[in-house]
Amino acid sequence: MKGLLDTVAMLPSRKPLFAAKNSSITVGQIRKTATEISARISGERPLFLHTESAALFVAGLLAAARKKLAVSLPAHLQPRYLLEIGADRGILLTDQDVRSAAATPIALASDEEPCETHVQAHDLDLTFYTSGVTGSPKKVSKKISQLDNEAWTLERIWGKQAGHTFATVSHQHIYGMLFRVFWPVLSGRVSEDRLVEYWEGLAGKLAADTTLISSPAHLTRLPRADVLAGSVPGLIFSAGAPLPFEAAQDSLHLLGSVPIEVLGSTETGGIGWRKQEHQDALWTPLPGVRIAADENGSMAVVSRFAAGDLPVATGDAVECVNGKFRLKGRMDRIAKIDGKRVSLDRVESALLAHPIIAAAAAIDLPSRKGALGAIVELSDKGNAVLAEEGAFRLSRRLRIALAPLLEPGERPKHWRFATIPTNAQGKRIQAVLRACFDKQPPDGAIIAQSEESAEIALVLSPDLIWFEGHFPGQPVLPGIAQVHLAVQWAEQIWDWKPNGANLSQLKFRRILRPGDAARLKLTRDGAKQRLIFAYEIEDVVASQGTIGGGA
């Protein structure tokens, strides 16, 4: 079976490979563009390739093969990120405005004059950059033949149903590269040259003879029914993160079918697939892929799409079930945000580099469609800025400050400027961090209220997020969660909260457990800007303390 480069080198010159607006981009145009790029490349400096055009991307690979140069594939073009991966020491080929002396602009040839078609027969080396657990971009080396093999596997499984390819994802990441470049080119189908950012751009274009390459970032944000009325693509794919069951069913109702979810990573290539036609649908390994759980329950993958024969650990907790498998969450600090891997350590490091930030905690928020949140403790100067500008303007300022290093998906979308909650051992508990972004406290009834005091009847449901992981088998409501709930109720009742997060006079006399019926008594001291709280069970104080104000 031929690979991508041999296919482009040998196909008839006038065969269309990509569609651009109302025209086609032919094999001949791509080959001529590759010739022009080759003429501009001199020496043996590393080659970095990043384009918005899929056709230009293929031309760049072809040019690199002719020059026998390995290719590095930046995930994005943020200036500090490019310095971090060493792009300033190489040749950056791009069709975007990077404002860098190292960037070499490239454009598609306007015709298809006779040109060189020969490709040196060697296996092109590719380097991807992913979010590593250390927070720094992690290099992942692949051979182009591995992508060729994986694309042919996709063709064997789904080729009979596939058609003209549309995509809402970039080809600079391995999923988009395989599904909207390698697979269509090798199988002779036309693919759109550019991704479609908004659903409105697909109106009237999706039919039974088309394939849609998408992601949870788009499929969890489907438009009104009238926007895509009559749009029923033959195949829909999603990758990057597991798709919520509700989103899969919404796709069935609006687009006519449940998406085929593909699980994989840059290191492993494709791992498995599923269709959520029912809840808790299991994953099926792709042909040639073996799945196992190590002694810690973490997924290990052996695949011909991965480099080497050793098992690759993915960081996912897994349960193997009769030749299939079930995912059970992540076991590291890598989160999937809009389908892309984001290192929470990297986000926190970028935040801590800002002079007004004293401490930072980044967390993914499943209750907010998997968006990224940040809890930030400010310095004295930062608190002064917060008092002057307000939380909204400050959060926008910080997002702008993060732009040179982090791509959009790595910049927190939801912000809390407060003390980062920890348990008695000083550890950060995910459930408590996430609870800081909950809009409402748990179910309760206000049974007494005045300008200075209130009493709330609470039932601590076992489903409360604060009980998760604290502690397994014997859940209790953590003290820091009790403090957080008291502040939430004060905000709901009086649209007011204490000044600062200073805690004093704390006493925890009795554990609060799932199912407990408690009364929360609140007193606000406006003069000292502090909140006094007490939880009672059967008229006996279980816990109490003071939040904010002086020591």
Side-chain angles (χ1 to χ4, degrees):
M1 293 180 291
K2 291 180 180 177
L4 177 105
L5 298 179
D6 291 328
T7 298
V8 175
M10 303 305 296
L11 281 172
S13 178
R14 295 193 179 277
K15 178 173 177 56
L17 284 186
F18 296 96
K21 294 184 179 179
N22 298 319
S23 62
S24 296
I25 299 172
T26 65
V27 172
Q29 286 176 275
I30 292 173
R31 288 201 293 245
K32 184 176 181 185
T33 303
T35 300
E36 294 177 357
I37 295 172
S38 298
R40 300 168 65 185
I41 299 174
S42 59
E44 298 182 357
R45 286 195 295 160
L47 190 65
F48 292 80
L49 178 63
H50 190 291
T51 68
E52 291 186 342
S53 162
L56 276 176
F57 181 80
V58 173
L61 292 179
L62 193 60
R66 289 174 178 168
K67 290 288 189 174
K68 295 185 178 180
L69 293 175
V71 178
S72 291
L73 303 164
H76 56 91
L77 295 175
Q78 299 299 330
R80 286 174 60 188
Y81 168 82
L82 291 176
L83 291 174
E84 201 171 359
I85 65 174
D88 57 316
R89 298 188 296 274
I91 301 170
L92 175 61
L93 297 177
T94 182
D95 55 355
Q96 297 161 261
D97 181 10
V98 183
R99 294 184 174 86
S100 168
T104 301
I106 53 177
L108 193 69
S110 58
D111 54 33
E112 43 186 81
E113 294 293 324
C115 60
E116 178 187 0
T117 61
H118 179 65
V119 177
Q120 297 289 340
H122 78 292
D123 201 356
L124 188 63
D125 292 316
L126 304 176
T127 298
F128 294 82
Y129 298 88
T130 69
S131 293
V133 294
T134 63
S136 299
K138 173 187 173 184
K139 285 186 178 182
V140 178
S141 298
K142 307 275 281 192
K143 297 286 189 180
I144 197 172
S145 59
Q146 291 174 293
L147 275 68
D148 291 330
N149 290 335
E150 190 166 349
W152 281 118
T153 298
L154 302 179
E155 175 65 12
R156 285 193 294 272
I157 302 173
W158 294 295
K160 291 182 180 179
Q161 302 164 263
H164 185 113
T165 302
F166 292 87
T168 66
V169 298
S170 168
H171 60 262
Q172 288 292 146
H173 298 272
I174 195 166
Y175 164 56
M177 193 179 301
L178 281 165
F179 279 73
R180 57 174 290 219
V181 177
F182 276 72
W183 182 19
V185 169
L186 290 177
S187 60
R189 285 184 285 272
V190 174
S191 180
E192 290 292 308
D193 184 50
R194 308 253 173 171
L195 65 82
V196 179
E197 291 190 65
Y198 304 105
W199 285 112
E200 288 77 5
L202 291 169
K205 297 178 181 178
L206 299 177
D209 60 349
T210 65
T211 295
L212 175 62
I213 312 302
S214 195
S215 71
H218 276 79
L219 293 171
T220 56
R221 300 172 176 86
L222 289 169
R224 303 186 316 272
D226 61 311
V227 173
L228 293 178
S231 298
V232 183
L235 284 173
I236 305 171
F237 288 92
S238 176
L243 189 65
F245 177 74
E246 295 76 12
Q249 297 305 300
D250 288 345
S251 176
L252 173 62
H253 297 143
L254 186 61
L255 297 173
S257 64
V258 174
I260 299 169
E261 295 176 69
V262 180
L263 176 70
S265 70
T266 308
E267 294 90 341
T268 62
I271 295 173
W273 64 277
R274 72 172 180 179
K275 290 187 74 172
Q276 291 195 80
E277 294 170 333
H278 56 82
Q279 283 191 314
D280 197 31
L282 297 176
W283 297 85
T284 300
L286 288 168
V289 176
R290 298 201 314 274
I291 304 296
D294 65 16
E295 63 275 11
N296 297 316
S298 179
M299 180 189 290
V301 177
V302 177
S303 170
R304 60 196 178 96
F305 308 139
D309 299 323
L310 296 176
V312 180
T314 67
D316 297 290
V318 69
E319 177 186 358
C320 297
V321 184
N322 299 325
K324 298 187 178 183
F325 61 95
R326 175 184 293 114
L327 294 180
K328 302 178 71 176
R330 295 290 299 177
M331 301 182 72
D332 56 23
R333 296 210 73 223
I334 301 296
K336 288 293 184 73
I337 307 297
D338 281 348
K340 296 180 182 179
R341 288 197 296 183
V342 172
S343 165
L344 300 180
D345 287 334
R346 177 180 175 83
V347 175
E348 290 172 1
S349 295
L351 286 166
L352 289 171
H354 198 286
I356 70 170
I357 294 177
I363 189 74
D364 59 313
L365 303 172
S367 65
R368 300 197 177 200
K369 298 183 177 180
L372 185 62
I375 304 173
V376 172
E377 293 183 17
L378 297 169
S379 65
D380 290 343
K381 181 180 178 181
N383 281 316
V385 175
L386 176 63
E388 180 181 349
E389 296 187 358
F392 179 79
R393 289 174 61 193
L394 179 55
S395 66
R396 300 286 77 78
R397 178 204 281 223
L398 291 175
R399 276 184 60 88
I400 293 170
L402 293 173
L405 180 61
L406 304 178
E407 62 178 321
E410 295 176 304
R411 302 173 211 160
K413 188 174 182 180
H414 301 284
W415 299 77
R416 294 291 182 269
F417 298 103
T419 300
I420 298 169
T422 59
N423 65 8
Q425 290 74 42
K427 294 182 179 180
R428 299 173 180 180
I429 308 300
Q430 277 193 333
V432 177
L433 294 177
R434 287 176 176 143
C436 293
F437 294 88
D438 288 352
K439 292 182 178 179
Q440 297 292 337
D443 291 339
I446 301 172
I447 56 178
Q449 178 182 350
S450 70
E451 287 298 315
E452 289 79 29
S453 65
E455 188 172 342
I456 304 102
L458 299 174
V459 176
L460 303 178
S461 167
D463 296 329
L464 288 179
I465 191 170
W466 293 279
F467 287 125
E468 293 182 11
H470 198 286
F471 298 93
Q474 294 183 322
V476 302
L477 187 65
I480 193 66
Q482 296 179 39
V483 171
H484 177 67
L485 287 174
V487 174
Q488 279 194 314
W489 273 107
E491 288 188 271
Q492 178 166 305
I493 294 170
W494 296 301
D495 193 22
W496 169 92
K497 62 182 179 179
N499 181 25
N502 180 63
L503 302 177
S504 61
Q505 301 177 338
L506 290 176
K507 295 179 182 179
F508 297 99
R509 297 186 174 94
R510 173 178 168 175
I511 290 173
L512 298 181
R513 299 185 183 278
D516 280 347
R519 292 211 174 184
L520 171 59
K521 294 183 177 181
L522 301 176
T523 302
R524 65 168 179 165
D525 183 343
K528 295 185 178 180
Q529 289 293 295
R530 64 183 183 177
L531 176 68
I532 302 166
F533 74 92
Y535 289 86
E536 295 182 359
I537 296 180
E538 297 178 349
D539 296 325
V540 176
V541 175
S543 61
Q544 63 188 52
T546 300
I547 310 166

Short mmCIF file of all heavy atoms in Angstrom, two decimals, residues 7 13 37 39 73 88 113 138 147 149 156 162 164 193 200 277 299 304 351 400 410 413 415 477 484 514:
data_model
loop_
_atom_site.label_atom_id
_atom_site.label_comp_id
_atom_site.label_asym_id
_atom_site.label_seq_id
_atom_site.Cartn_x
_atom_site.Cartn_y
_atom_site.Cartn_z
N THR A 7 1.61 8.65 -2.94
CA THR A 7 0.33 8.87 -3.60
C THR A 7 0.29 10.23 -4.29
O THR A 7 -0.11 10.35 -5.45
CB THR A 7 -0.82 8.79 -2.56
OG1 THR A 7 -0.82 7.48 -1.99
CG2 THR A 7 -2.16 9.07 -3.20
N SER A 13 -1.98 14.60 -12.58
CA SER A 13 -1.78 15.99 -12.21
C SER A 13 -3.09 16.72 -11.95
O SER A 13 -3.16 17.58 -11.06
CB SER A 13 -0.99 16.71 -13.30
OG SER A 13 -0.83 18.06 -12.99
N ILE A 37 8.61 25.49 -2.67
CA ILE A 37 9.08 25.50 -1.28
C ILE A 37 10.48 24.91 -1.20
O ILE A 37 11.36 25.44 -0.50
CB ILE A 37 8.10 24.70 -0.38
CG1 ILE A 37 6.74 25.40 -0.33
CG2 ILE A 37 8.67 24.55 1.03
CD1 ILE A 37 5.67 24.58 0.38
N ALA A 39 12.83 24.96 -3.31
CA ALA A 39 13.83 25.90 -3.81
C ALA A 39 14.19 26.95 -2.77
O ALA A 39 15.27 27.57 -2.85
CB ALA A 39 13.31 26.56 -5.08
N LEU A 73 6.13 19.75 14.10
CA LEU A 73 4.76 20.21 13.90
C LEU A 73 4.27 20.96 15.14
O LEU A 73 3.72 20.36 16.07
CB LEU A 73 3.86 19.00 13.62
CG LEU A 73 4.30 18.16 12.41
CD1 LEU A 73 3.61 16.80 12.43
CD2 LEU A 73 4.01 18.89 11.12
N ASP A 88 12.79 29.12 16.69
CA ASP A 88 13.63 30.25 16.28
C ASP A 88 14.97 29.80 15.73
O ASP A 88 15.66 30.57 15.06
CB ASP A 88 13.85 31.19 17.46
CG ASP A 88 14.49 30.49 18.65
OD1 ASP A 88 14.06 29.36 18.98
OD2 ASP A 88 15.41 31.05 19.25
N GLU A 113 2.03 23.75 -13.74
CA GLU A 113 3.03 23.54 -14.77
C GLU A 113 3.81 22.26 -14.48
O GLU A 113 3.87 21.81 -13.34
CB GLU A 113 3.99 24.73 -14.81
CG GLU A 113 3.34 26.03 -15.25
CD GLU A 113 2.92 25.99 -16.70
OE1 GLU A 113 3.63 25.38 -17.52
OE2 GLU A 113 1.86 26.56 -17.01
N LYS A 138 6.03 18.36 25.33
CA LYS A 138 6.70 17.07 25.25
C LYS A 138 6.85 16.67 23.78
O LYS A 138 5.88 16.68 23.03
CB LYS A 138 5.90 16.02 26.01
CG LYS A 138 6.41 14.60 25.86
CD LYS A 138 5.44 13.63 26.52
CE LYS A 138 5.83 12.19 26.25
NZ LYS A 138 4.83 11.24 26.81
N LEU A 147 1.57 6.89 10.32
CA LEU A 147 0.32 7.58 9.99
C LEU A 147 -0.31 6.98 8.74
O LEU A 147 -1.54 6.86 8.66
CB LEU A 147 0.57 9.08 9.80
CG LEU A 147 0.56 9.93 11.09
CD1 LEU A 147 1.75 9.59 11.97
CD2 LEU A 147 0.55 11.41 10.77
N ASN A 149 -0.09 3.83 7.82
CA ASN A 149 -0.70 2.56 8.22
C ASN A 149 -2.02 2.78 8.96
O ASN A 149 -2.99 2.04 8.75
CB ASN A 149 0.27 1.78 9.12
CG ASN A 149 1.47 1.26 8.37
OD1 ASN A 149 1.40 1.06 7.16
ND2 ASN A 149 2.56 1.02 9.07
N ARG A 156 -10.13 0.59 5.95
CA ARG A 156 -10.67 -0.78 6.01
C ARG A 156 -11.93 -0.85 6.88
O ARG A 156 -12.86 -1.59 6.58
CB ARG A 156 -9.60 -1.75 6.55
CG ARG A 156 -8.52 -2.08 5.54
CD ARG A 156 -7.69 -3.26 6.00
NE ARG A 156 -6.91 -2.96 7.19
CZ ARG A 156 -5.70 -2.43 7.17
NH1 ARG A 156 -5.12 -2.13 6.01
NH2 ARG A 156 -5.05 -2.21 8.29
N ALA A 162 -17.53 6.33 3.93
CA ALA A 162 -16.92 7.66 3.95
C ALA A 162 -17.16 8.41 2.65
O ALA A 162 -17.35 7.82 1.58
CB ALA A 162 -15.43 7.55 4.24
N HIS A 164 -16.95 12.87 0.93
CA HIS A 164 -16.32 14.20 0.94
C HIS A 164 -16.20 14.67 2.39
O HIS A 164 -17.17 14.67 3.15
CB HIS A 164 -17.18 15.16 0.13
CG HIS A 164 -16.59 16.53 -0.04
ND1 HIS A 164 -16.17 17.02 -1.27
CD2 HIS A 164 -16.34 17.52 0.86
CE1 HIS A 164 -15.71 18.25 -1.10
NE2 HIS A 164 -15.80 18.57 0.19
N ASP A 193 -10.20 22.09 2.24
CA ASP A 193 -8.86 22.61 2.51
C ASP A 193 -8.76 23.28 3.87
O ASP A 193 -7.72 23.23 4.51
CB ASP A 193 -8.48 23.61 1.41
CG ASP A 193 -7.06 24.13 1.56
OD1 ASP A 193 -6.14 23.30 1.72
OD2 ASP A 193 -6.88 25.36 1.54
N GLU A 200 -22.65 27.38 11.37
CA GLU A 200 -23.32 28.07 10.25
C GLU A 200 -22.58 27.84 8.93
O GLU A 200 -23.19 27.85 7.86
CB GLU A 200 -23.40 29.56 10.56
CG GLU A 200 -24.40 29.93 11.64
CD GLU A 200 -23.91 29.64 13.06
OE1 GLU A 200 -22.73 29.24 13.22
OE2 GLU A 200 -24.69 29.80 14.02
N GLU A 277 -24.83 4.54 21.59
CA GLU A 277 -26.24 4.30 21.32
C GLU A 277 -27.00 3.99 22.60
O GLU A 277 -28.23 3.99 22.64
CB GLU A 277 -26.38 3.17 20.31
CG GLU A 277 -25.80 3.59 18.94
CD GLU A 277 -25.70 2.44 17.97
OE1 GLU A 277 -25.55 1.28 18.44
OE2 GLU A 277 -25.73 2.69 16.75
N MET A 299 -4.24 2.38 32.07
CA MET A 299 -4.22 1.76 30.75
C MET A 299 -2.82 1.68 30.18
O MET A 299 -2.07 2.66 30.20
CB MET A 299 -5.13 2.53 29.78
CG MET A 299 -5.17 1.94 28.37
SD MET A 299 -6.02 3.00 27.17
CE MET A 299 -7.71 2.84 27.73
N ARG A 304 0.89 -1.06 16.80
CA ARG A 304 1.82 -0.82 15.70
C ARG A 304 1.79 0.64 15.26
O ARG A 304 2.62 1.06 14.45
CB ARG A 304 1.50 -1.73 14.52
CG ARG A 304 0.11 -1.57 13.95
CD ARG A 304 -0.26 -2.75 13.07
NE ARG A 304 -1.60 -2.64 12.55
CZ ARG A 304 -1.91 -2.16 11.36
NH1 ARG A 304 -0.95 -1.70 10.57
NH2 ARG A 304 -3.16 -2.11 10.95
N LEU A 351 0.40 31.13 35.18
CA LEU A 351 -0.28 32.08 36.07
C LEU A 351 0.68 32.63 37.12
O LEU A 351 0.71 33.83 37.41
CB LEU A 351 -1.46 31.40 36.75
CG LEU A 351 -2.70 31.16 35.88
CD1 LEU A 351 -3.65 30.18 36.57
CD2 LEU A 351 -3.41 32.47 35.57
N ILE A 400 -5.33 37.91 28.62
CA ILE A 400 -4.48 38.58 27.62
C ILE A 400 -3.01 38.37 27.97
O ILE A 400 -2.17 38.11 27.09
CB ILE A 400 -4.83 40.08 27.54
CG1 ILE A 400 -6.23 40.26 26.96
CG2 ILE A 400 -3.80 40.83 26.69
CD1 ILE A 400 -6.76 41.68 27.05
N GLU A 410 -5.88 26.67 26.60
CA GLU A 410 -5.12 26.54 27.84
C GLU A 410 -5.36 27.71 28.79
O GLU A 410 -4.88 27.69 29.92
CB GLU A 410 -3.63 26.45 27.54
CG GLU A 410 -3.21 25.21 26.76
CD GLU A 410 -1.74 25.24 26.41
OE1 GLU A 410 -1.29 26.22 25.77
OE2 GLU A 410 -1.02 24.29 26.78
N LYS A 413 -11.17 29.88 31.51
CA LYS A 413 -12.38 30.59 31.09
C LYS A 413 -13.17 31.09 32.29
O LYS A 413 -13.86 32.10 32.21
CB LYS A 413 -13.23 29.64 30.25
CG LYS A 413 -14.43 30.29 29.58
CD LYS A 413 -15.12 29.30 28.66
CE LYS A 413 -16.30 29.95 27.94
NZ LYS A 413 -16.97 28.99 27.03
N TRP A 415 -13.04 32.09 36.51
CA TRP A 415 -12.07 32.56 37.49
C TRP A 415 -12.71 32.73 38.86
O TRP A 415 -13.86 33.12 38.97
CB TRP A 415 -11.49 33.91 37.04
CG TRP A 415 -10.76 33.84 35.73
CD1 TRP A 415 -11.32 33.79 34.49
CD2 TRP A 415 -9.35 33.81 35.54
NE1 TRP A 415 -10.33 33.74 33.52
CE2 TRP A 415 -9.10 33.75 34.14
CE3 TRP A 415 -8.25 33.85 36.40
CZ2 TRP A 415 -7.83 33.72 33.61
CZ3 TRP A 415 -6.97 33.82 35.87
CH2 TRP A 415 -6.78 33.75 34.48
N LEU A 477 -18.33 15.58 55.18
CA LEU A 477 -18.30 16.91 54.57
C LEU A 477 -17.07 17.65 55.11
O LEU A 477 -17.00 17.96 56.30
CB LEU A 477 -19.57 17.68 54.91
CG LEU A 477 -19.74 19.02 54.20
CD1 LEU A 477 -19.90 18.82 52.70
CD2 LEU A 477 -20.93 19.78 54.76
N HIS A 484 -17.06 27.06 52.64
CA HIS A 484 -17.47 27.49 51.30
C HIS A 484 -18.99 27.59 51.19
O HIS A 484 -19.53 28.56 50.63
CB HIS A 484 -16.92 26.51 50.26
CG HIS A 484 -17.33 26.80 48.85
ND1 HIS A 484 -16.92 27.91 48.17
CD2 HIS A 484 -18.15 26.13 48.01
CE1 HIS A 484 -17.46 27.91 46.96
NE2 HIS A 484 -18.21 26.84 46.85
N PRO A 514 -23.27 12.21 54.78
CA PRO A 514 -24.38 12.19 53.82
C PRO A 514 -25.69 11.82 54.49
O PRO A 514 -25.75 10.91 55.33
CB PRO A 514 -23.95 11.11 52.83
CG PRO A 514 -22.47 11.06 52.94
CD PRO A 514 -22.15 11.35 54.37
#
